[in-house]
Amino acid sequence: MAKPAILTVDDDPAVSRAVARDLRKQYAQDYRIIRADSGQEALDALKELKLRGEQVAVLLADYRMPNMTGLQFLEAAMDLFPRARRVLLTAYADTDAAIQAINVVDLDHYLLKPWHPPEEKLYPVMDAMLEAWKAAPDRPVADVKIVGHRWSAPSYAVRDFLARNMVSYRWYTTDDAEGQRLLTAAGLTEADVPLVVTPEGKTMVAPTEAELAVQVGLTTTPASDFYDLVVVGGGPAGLGAAVYGASEGLRTVLLEERATGGQAGQSSRIENYLGFPDGVSGAQLTDRARRQAVKFGAELLTACRVTRLAVEGSARVLHFEDGTTIAAHSVILATGVSYRRLTAPGLEQFHGRGVYYGSASTEAPSCSDQDVYIVGGANSAGQAAMFFSRYARRVHLVIRAPNLDASMSRYLIEQIASVPAIEVHPCTEIIGADGDEHLERLTLRSVDGSGERTVDSSWLFIFIGAEPRTDWLDGVVQRDARGFVLTGPDVEGGADHAALGRDPYHLECSVPGVFAAGDVRADSVKRVASAVGEGAMAVSLVHRYLVEGQ
């Protein structure tokens, strides 16, 4: 972090230089001395410091300045740095006005011109001001800062993207004093949120994920235009493939549309993964796998949306949304699945404003002492119920089945049964949602159509179904009726493979050199361990494909 700043402003350049000279002589070792020749110039400097998350210890302003007096400047500066100590530099004739200003801008001290010798008249005052500031300083903020509305879907999307990519950030609502100060520093209003401020002080209003990724330091463009292996998707299968591919010497790049980890990365606790007897969060597992892949030399690209796969001779070419392409000898499809949308009336309009798909762990602290509803009966829903039970007054798990036995692991069923704050609602579905600015009420009924009721809740988390979202492979790679990728013996025809004198390998698609691993593959086992295993197995088949000829 930069040194805390001492800012001095005077419209007389000679006086301004003299004050700054004396301050540097005494305090330059521990403080950065900033000089301005007008109130507006000083305010602009403070706004830049605020956006960069830096500290300001003391403000020293001349009383008589044109356009903006020292008092007007200090009053405006209070909105940006309320903890900075404020000193007015004034002539003897203006002492009465300076005394009156103590009540106007909460002035800490005033200094008479001339202040020489500084050892007697300037430094003792500054020492006292700095000691007082050290007792309650502005805290430096090196994180990304976000200002937004509590129930704003775009604000939630920004927070969720950063959280899932493990980018540290500070969240301020437009009602927070610090949020207001950041908006002021950026020259914006509450209508302009979400505002994102990088540690370097760059501001973005409602950025896209691609814009946000670039500014927070995530890699979004490949270093080369041709690779041995391109892995599409950064869930457990994709990360497993990237680790094994790079560790075995393949030039490997992983492409992820949103954030590595996939659905598993959103899991609050995975307790049945080999080697973690005390469990591990999806975020922790993802972070370790990501660091492991990078250690072996894999490139990991974020905010890369692939729109098409093409076969051009022995190359497999992937087309991006922005019109660019990347090519490789081989491709592993590991795009996983997405949660299916509930179509009940009212739900779509509250997406990001009370209705969330996946765990949305960033919202957990806001659920304190409130009722939370979770839809789904698989492990992901059970893990979310356990997680939110630490915050919410009560967690309601809504399932269409008569019980959890057929869809959830036994250890999770037993854990849920042991938590009094979790209530399971069997044979129940959600048929509607209502509210004004955000979700406020849900309508539930029994699956047989009876027992309809309305409940108050601002929180609904949905974990149902599995959609592979493989439309971009249409006409190139064979899929089943639900969109899952066919591999190995399930591939029909196989004329392209017949030309190579062989059948498709176990995880190979209808296009030679293109493989599928994890949840996107038809009839795969929907578990983290099996996805990682398939990612590793796919790499061994890639080697076989490259060695035996394309």
Side-chain angles (χ1 to χ4, degrees), residues 107-256:
L107 195 68
D108 294 297
H109 205 282
Y110 67 90
L111 277 170
L112 289 175
K113 296 180 182 179
W115 61 90
H116 296 289
E119 290 79 9
E120 294 181 11
K121 297 184 178 181
L122 176 61
Y123 297 156
V125 171
M126 290 297 298
D127 288 343
M129 295 299 99
L130 292 171
E131 286 300 319
W133 177 79
K134 287 177 183 178
D138 282 311
R139 300 297 180 189
V141 179
D143 298 331
V144 173
K145 296 177 281 290
I146 308 170
V147 183
H149 292 302
R150 174 67 195 85
W151 296 109
S152 160
S155 297
Y156 160 73
V158 168
R159 287 185 293 136
D160 185 59
F161 178 81
L162 293 180
R164 292 185 61 186
N165 281 286
M166 300 180 188
V167 176
S168 179
Y169 69 87
R170 299 285 184 92
W171 161 248
Y172 306 96
T173 68
T174 53
D175 297 329
D176 294 333
E178 183 65 8
Q180 288 288 341
R181 287 191 279 270
L182 288 169
L183 288 174
T184 299
L188 302 172
T189 68
E190 294 183 11
D192 299 316
V193 298
L195 165 67
V196 179
V197 185
T198 70
E200 297 76 27
K202 180 177 176 58
T203 60
M204 296 176 285
V205 177
T208 65
E209 289 183 350
E211 293 169 339
L212 191 56
V214 170
Q215 294 302 325
V216 300
L218 299 175
T219 305
T220 60
T221 56
S224 176
D225 57 3
F226 198 92
Y227 293 82
D228 294 321
L229 171 63
V230 174
V231 181
V232 186
L239 286 169
V243 167
Y244 282 93
S247 67
E248 294 177 14
L250 296 177
R251 290 173 298 162
T252 303
V253 61
L254 182 148
L255 313 176
E256 171 54 46

Side-chain angles (χ1 to χ4, degrees), residues 35-47:
R35 182 176 69 86
D37 294 332
S38 70
Q40 188 57 56
E41 182 184 336
L43 276 181
D44 290 342
L46 289 180
K47 290 177 180 179

Side-chain angles (χ1 to χ4, degrees), residues 487 503 542 545:
T487 60
D503 293 329
V542 165
Y545 167 75

Side-chain angles (χ1 to χ4, degrees), residues 340-376:
R340 183 166 54 83
R341 297 279 179 143
L342 269 183
T343 58
L347 287 179
E348 191 59 32
Q349 73 183 81
F350 295 120
H351 183 212
R353 297 188 293 134
V355 176
Y356 307 94
Y357 290 84
S359 64
S361 58
T362 54
E363 304 303 301
S366 300
C367 300
S368 179
D369 297 325
Q370 300 183 51
D371 278 25
V372 168
Y373 281 77
I374 295 175
V375 179

Side-chain angles (χ1 to χ4, degrees), residues 66-85:
N67 300 322
M68 181 185 296
T69 69
L71 293 180
Q72 291 171 329
F73 162 73
L74 291 174
E75 189 171 12
M78 286 176 62
D79 294 334
L80 296 171
F81 291 94
R83 294 183 181 274
R85 314 311 288 186

